[in-house]
Amino acid sequence: MERDNSGSRRMNVRCCVVGGGPAGMVLGFLLARTGVEVVVLEKHGDFLRDFRGDTVHPSTLELIYGLGILDDFLRRPHQELRTVGAFIEDFAVTVADFSHLPTHCKFVALMPQWDFLNFIAEKAKAYPQFHLLMESDVTDLLAENGQVAGVRAKTPQGLLEVRADLTVGADGRHSTVRAKAGMEVMDLGAPIDVLWMRIGRRPSDPDQTLGRFRAGKILVTLNRGDYWQCAYVIAKGGFEAIQQKGLPAFREGIESVAPFFRGRTQELKDWDDIKLLSVAVDRLRRWSRTGLLCIGDSAHAMSPIGGVGINLAIQDAVAAANILARPLLRGAVTDGVLREVQRRRELPTRLTQGFQVFAHQHLIDPALRSRAPIRRLPLPLKLLQQFPVLRRIPARMLGLGFRPEHVRTADVAASV
Ligand SMILES: Cc1cc2nc3c(=O)[nH]c(=O)nc-3n(C[C@H](O)[C@H](O)[C@H](O)COP(=O)(O)OP(=O)(O)OC[C@H]3O[C@@H](n4cnc5c(N)ncnc54)[C@H](O)[C@@H]3O)c2cc1C
């Protein structure tokens, strides 16, 4: 790293990845593994943030297996979700069964995302080509001859300029990169927001059941050992009205949908204990410009519905690494090569977002509006209970996605 006359630090790499989430960390790891000099810039000082999803899907576990690090991964604390269930009023339903997937791990591993990202960082750091700079907040893109030539970031040591043949925006659904590049976003709309909170867990609590629906209320509970990470789904923009009704009414709502929390919601002492996460579903018309590519939520923001956004982001990273490693090593990343990544990943993105928008409109929105208890299960859920073989279909969609990607061997450098 050098310093220029103004005191800014400068760095040159083949690839600069903005954002150390699932998409950015996996891409950085896979590129470094093939010999590409890559830096990942993450604006936070660590990965420890409460609102990260905890799901490591069978397709990601298969990737980890392909990289020869599965045993090490599975030694870290996690839980194995072999079926996905929900409570609809008093009906216990099973929606997906992963036991027939053609993968080594026939389950979703539930692991706090900061543990997953720390694991990837640890493995990536074994490669000298991998650089991870935390507390590096990318504020602007560098332009040269009309194309993107890197980024400018604020760091505790002052300004940093990273020059790169390729810049990748993996900075999530509020992407600075895509905004600075002026990329056109198609908003598909999301009628929901999520309130995120922790409630203590007791040994007598029921097992992990992801969704609970009761008379217009939807609660998702993730077991994080000594506490439940809870996601309470509300109508978009509805938080203010909920606050006006007061905290006791809110606590009562949580207890009515999950009665085992009765008495424990007092742990929510004020509104600061409850975080609003706004949900968006959108996608870029074009994922790339000369010198720049967006992947993961930066290219297509995902709703939490189905818990598939992390999977899709990682699959983008695998496809991008497979397509880009050779051109990056040769110093020949053309617009055509960048468009190939979008061509490969656009169909699974459209299908997944189509499924999320359908679920918002036909399941979640009507469920939030209904005040009366549901007396009969909707037909698709009834069929899933009567014919367990059908549970393999949602298991494939949730566990593998529409186009699972497979990591290529690391000996790309030798063939360049
Ligand atoms: C409430 C909620 C719950 C969800 N739950 C799940 C779930 O359980 N399972 C699931 O599969 N999906 C879930 N999703 C969707 C999932 O979170 C996303 O699809 C997924 O995280 C996308 O990964 P990503 O790497 O593209 O982006 P992100 O995970 O958003 O990572 C982006 C990273 O970039 C960093 N960054 C941002 N701006 C900058 C900058 N300017 N400079 C440097 N770094 C920057 C951020 O700090 C972050 O680390 C949920 C979404 C929401 C809204």
Side-chain angles (χ1 to χ4, degrees):
M1 198 155 341
E2 312 157 358
R3 270 189 196 276
D4 66 13
N5 295 340
S6 67
S8 293
R9 292 175 310 145
R10 286 211 172 149
M11 182 180 194
N12 285 300
V13 283
R14 284 280 190 211
C15 182
C16 171
V17 179
V18 182
M25 288 302 292
V26 170
L27 179 62
F29 175 26
L30 295 180
L31 288 179
R33 181 176 161 271
T34 58
V36 174
E37 197 78 25
V38 55
V39 65
V40 179
L41 303 177
E42 166 55 46
K43 71 176 173 184
H44 291 96
D46 54 40
F47 299 122
L48 279 172
R49 276 175 317 291
D50 235 1
F51 53 83
R52 292 181 173 278
D54 289 353
T55 46
V56 184
H57 299 252
S59 58
T60 304
L61 294 166
E62 198 64 7
L63 163 71
I64 294 174
Y65 169 80
L67 295 168
I69 51 178
L70 182 65
D71 289 344
D72 192 3
F73 179 79
L74 292 178
R75 274 195 288 276
R76 321 237 157 172
H78 70 281
Q79 292 150 42
E80 297 177 2
L81 194 69
R82 291 174 187 272
T83 56
V84 174
F87 266 100
I88 308 214
E89 306 296 338
D90 293 319
F91 302 104
V93 295
T94 304
V95 179
D97 175 359
F98 299 110
S99 58
H100 296 275
L101 288 183
T103 48
H104 288 82
C105 297
K106 298 178 192 311
F107 53 83
V108 171
L110 287 174
M111 179 184 281
Q113 202 184 108
W114 51 83
D115 287 343
F116 171 70
L117 294 175
N118 278 322
F119 173 78
I120 298 292
E122 190 187 304
K123 296 296 170 194
K125 281 176 188 163
Y127 297 95
Q129 296 85 355
F130 179 81
H131 311 277
L132 173 61
L133 300 183
M134 305 300 285
E135 291 187 273
S136 302
D137 184 0
V138 170
T139 52
D140 219 341
L141 299 175
L142 301 176
E144 213 169 81
N145 304 325
Q147 67 181 65
V148 177
V151 302
R152 193 168 287 120
K154 277 198 263 176
T155 76
Q157 295 78 35
L159 280 183
L160 168 69
E161 271 191 14
V162 180
R163 298 208 158 254
D165 294 353
L166 175 66
T167 299
V168 178
D171 51 343
R173 63 192 201 282
H174 304 297
S175 170
T176 303
V177 168
R178 77 181 191 187
K180 291 287 174 186
M183 293 168 108
E184 191 188 343
V185 183
M186 294 179 287
D187 186 0
L188 308 186
I192 57 167
D193 284 330
V194 171
L195 301 180
W196 207 236
M197 71 211 100
R198 291 176 175 202
I199 297 180
R201 192 170 157 269
R202 291 183 188 158
S204 56
D205 282 350
D207 284 345
Q208 176 89 54
T209 310
L210 290 183
R212 289 171 186 274
F213 298 69
R214 190 180 286 273
K217 299 192 175 61
I218 304 175
L219 183 74
V220 176
T221 46
L222 297 171
N223 177 351
R224 281 200 184 150
D226 55 351
Y227 68 94
W228 292 100
Q229 182 66 57
C230 302
Y232 190 60
V233 181
I234 61 169
K236 185 140 223 86
F239 190 36
E240 226 178 281
I242 290 175
Q243 283 176 305
Q244 274 162 13
K245 287 187 187 152
L247 204 49
F250 178 71
R251 291 195 198 107
E252 179 50 42
I254 299 280
E255 290 181 5
S256 72
V257 65
F260 64 98
F261 281 149
R262 205 158 283 287
R264 234 180 295 171
T265 54
Q266 298 298 331
E267 294 169 21
L268 304 169
K269 293 203 170 34
D270 55 47
W271 290 110
D272 288 345
D273 292 332
I274 297 147
K275 293 186 192 78
L276 170 68
L277 298 182
S278 70
V279 174
V281 182
D282 64 33
R283 79 177 164 260
L284 296 180
R285 199 172 292 282
R286 285 185 51 200
W287 297 17
S288 61
R289 273 181 47 182
T290 308
L292 176 72
L293 171 72
C294 289
I295 61 169
D297 268 24
S298 167
H300 46 73
M302 304 300 291
S303 156
I305 298 304
V308 288
I310 297 169
N311 190 30
L312 204 67
I314 291 174
Q315 298 294 303
D316 282 2
V318 176
N322 285 342
I323 293 169
L324 297 171
R326 240 185 218 106
L328 276 165
L329 284 166
R330 286 198 198 116
V333 180
T334 60
D335 289 356
V337 167
L338 295 179
R339 280 198 295 270
E340 213 181 300
V341 177
Q342 177 172 358
R343 269 200 298 277
R344 172 94 200 155
R345 297 303 306 158
E346 189 155 19
L347 181 66
T349 301
R350 281 173 178 257
L351 291 173
T352 313
Q353 289 186 324
F355 152 77
Q356 291 193 324
V357 169
F358 179 88
H360 284 160
Q361 291 169 352
H362 298 279
L363 296 173
I364 307 296
D365 200 33
L368 284 176
R369 285 173 197 280
S370 75
R371 290 290 162 259
I374 299 168
R375 302 243 172 264
R376 268 182 299 171
L377 282 180
L379 183 64
L381 285 178
K382 221 189 241 170
L383 290 174
L384 286 169
Q385 305 323 298
Q386 279 171 4
F387 305 103
V389 70
L390 295 178
R391 297 174 192 165
R392 297 182 193 184
I393 301 168
R396 250 195 121 85
M397 281 168 64
L398 300 178
L400 298 182
F402 289 104
R403 179 179 274 164
E405 304 286 347
H406 303 285
V407 67
R408 290 201 193 133
T409 54
D411 56 2
V412 175
S415 64
V416 171

